[in-house]
Amino acid sequence: MSTAPSIYTPVGHRPDWYWEEILGRRGLADRRVDGYEDAWLGMLFGQAQNEITGCSVHGGRYWEVVLDLRKLYDVLIRSARSLFLRRAAAAFNIDETYTPDQLPHTLRQSVCAPAICDRRSVANTIFPYAFATEFMGQRPTQMLGNVSFEDIIEIEELLPWESFDVDFAIGGIDSCGTASLHLNLDQHPELSFASTSDADYYFTNALADRLLPLRTQVEKYNARVQFAKEEKRKRTGVEPHIVGICIPMFFPLDLPGRSWLPYRASS
């Protein structure tokens, strides 16, 4: 199980006990110091990149696992519910007098699994015995009723940002000429853009809060790129081999910028 998150959460969304421990380790006394939000984003992004790279180096596949904790409580056998609440209180540092509706809505975790493992094996084998034991005890599957973990968790494979079929980005701050540059470059037969309009908002909308993209998101965008390249080839008779993207709000939005700058040349 990875300790790195796969989506961005602001500094203020973490509880006080978390900051007392994390910031204490880094010698920072106050999380409200000016500029720390940028440092926090950089730390989260770096962790995510390191984790998926390490998983790939060891021949694994990297997964995002999202468990609906309240749904989990509902499907537990009745005799196991009180035990689960006590264990969850200890695992999540919650007061033991809380009620089930005070459980966190979801538990999001990243997992590096052997390449041979598919979504089902991650849900029904790896997740229950590598992580669920922390808040469910040694026999988590026996606490469920007539369901499996596969029924109550969402699992998606994660990919590195360089999996996107894009070679360069036209990044701007809006109303600074990115559209004109895009439309002019698009006249070159060897260049292709996934979006035929003056801008592509896929990374600022669908991926706005992600530290790592889902495989489904990468495949959806790359399919658009392949379609655009084929349409360009039909119009010009030349096979385009350089793919660009135009993002007018590239620099004001930290996450899209961080996801691209380490891998792509931008102008």
Side-chain angles (χ1 to χ4, degrees):
M1 306 300 294
S2 169
T3 58
S6 54
I7 63 171
Y8 171 74
T9 55
V11 173
H13 286 198
R14 298 298 174 99
D16 290 340
W17 61 264
Y18 175 89
W19 291 111
E20 290 174 4
E21 179 177 352
I22 297 299
L23 297 185
R25 293 177 184 177
R26 292 169 172 75
L28 298 173
D30 189 350
R31 68 176 181 273
R32 292 180 296 276
V33 295
D34 291 340
Y36 187 70
E37 187 71 44
D38 288 339
W40 169 242
L41 173 58
M43 182 176 73
L44 290 182
F45 201 86
Q47 285 179 343
Q49 299 303 308
N50 289 338
E51 291 286 322
I52 195 169
T53 299
C55 185
S56 176
V57 166
H58 288 87
R61 297 168 68 184
Y62 202 57
W63 301 85
E64 179 183 79
V65 179
V66 183
L67 172 66
D68 187 324
L69 283 169
R70 299 187 183 186
K71 187 174 182 179
L72 170 60
Y73 176 84
D74 291 337
V75 302
L76 290 174
I77 58 176
R78 292 190 177 277
S79 60
R81 289 181 177 180
S82 59
L83 176 61
F84 167 70
L85 291 178
R86 290 197 301 270
R87 289 186 179 276
F92 304 133
N93 199 26
I94 303 173
D95 191 334
E96 289 192 24
T97 61
Y98 73 104
T99 59
D101 61 359
Q102 292 176 292
L103 282 169
H105 286 280
T106 58
L107 177 65
R108 187 183 303 269
Q109 192 74 27
S110 301
V111 182
C112 179
I116 195 174
C117 295
D118 58 11
R119 181 179 285 101
R120 174 169 292 183
S121 58
V122 172
N124 294 327
T125 302
I126 294 177
F127 182 79
Y129 298 106
F131 187 67
T133 53
E134 294 187 25
F135 54 91
M136 295 183 69
Q138 295 304 310
R139 297 180 177 85
T141 57
Q142 296 182 17
M143 299 174 69
L144 303 180
N146 297 321
V147 300
S148 67
F149 277 96
E150 188 178 2
D151 299 314
I152 55 176
I153 60 178
E154 297 178 4
I155 301 179
E156 293 268 9
E157 187 174 1
L158 297 165
L159 292 180
W161 289 101
E162 59 264 36
S163 301
F164 284 100
D165 186 7
V166 178
D167 299 301
F168 72 96
I170 303 172
I173 55 175
D174 202 12
S175 300
C176 68
T178 52
S180 297
L181 184 57
H182 170 205
L183 295 175
N184 281 308
L185 285 175
D186 197 32
Q187 301 303 309
H188 197 294
E190 295 183 3
L191 299 183
S192 178
F193 290 84
S195 174
T196 57
S197 64
D198 61 349
D200 192 329
Y201 294 101
Y202 189 77
F203 290 87
T204 55
N205 292 338
L207 297 160
D209 63 346
R210 297 210 61 87
L211 298 170
L212 288 170
L214 304 175
R215 172 181 283 277
T216 52
Q217 294 172 323
V218 172
E219 291 177 345
K220 179 180 180 180
Y221 190 82
N222 287 350
R224 286 176 51 194
V225 169
Q226 291 305 310
F227 179 80
K229 290 170 69 174
E230 180 61 21
E231 291 299 301
K232 187 74 173 282
R233 185 192 65 77
K234 290 177 180 178
R235 293 196 308 270
T236 65
V238 178
E239 186 72 35
H241 60 274
I242 301 176
V243 179
I245 184 172
C246 176
I247 310 176
M249 298 299 291
F250 186 85
F251 288 102
L253 298 175
D254 250 347
L255 273 173
R258 288 178 186 269
S259 66
W260 283 94
L261 287 175
Y263 307 110
R264 316 296 185 200
S266 61
S267 58

